[in-house]
């Protein structure tokens, strides 16, 4: 039986849109379509969200698939 706790690149897939989101937020920050939120705040929020989602993945490594999916879904909802 294979171990399911090893890292694989597919785990990074949910984080791949983050650079695109930063570029869009930067662009929108210079238009009238978004509030004038400082860019560093947006970067911090995206980084903290990614870290918390990663922590949820690591801390539930030995848990059942049901616990893992519920924890990841809750963390994604909270950070969103």
């Amino acid at each position: 039986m294979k171990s399911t706790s090893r890292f694989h690149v597919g785990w990074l897939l949910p984080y791949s849109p983050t650079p695109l989101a930063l570029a869009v937020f930067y662009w929108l920050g210079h238009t009238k379509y978004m509030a004038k939120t400082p860019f560093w705040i947006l970067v911090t929020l995206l980084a903290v969200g990614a870290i918390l989602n990663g922590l949820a993945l690591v801390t539930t490594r030995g848990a059942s698939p049901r616990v893992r999916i519920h924890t990841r879904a809750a963390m994604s909802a909270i950070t969103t």
Side-chain angles (χ1 to χ4, degrees), residues 3-78:
S3 172
T4 59
S5 63
R6 294 190 338 200
F7 175 79
H8 58 84
V9 178
W11 289 352
L12 296 176
L13 188 60
Y15 306 109
S16 60
T18 302
L20 178 61
L22 286 173
V24 170
F25 284 147
Y26 183 79
W27 172 71
L28 283 174
H30 292 86
T31 67
K32 63 180 181 177
Y33 301 111
M34 190 170 107
K36 299 298 178 196
T37 305
F39 187 65
W40 68 268
I41 291 176
L42 298 173
V43 171
T44 302
L45 289 172
L46 283 172
V48 168
I51 290 167
L52 289 176
N53 278 304
L55 269 172
L57 181 67
V58 171
T59 57
T60 60
R61 185 176 300 164
S64 71
R66 183 177 179 177
V67 170
R68 289 188 76 166
I69 194 72
H70 284 287
T71 303
R72 294 282 316 276
M75 194 57 65
S76 293
I78 290 168

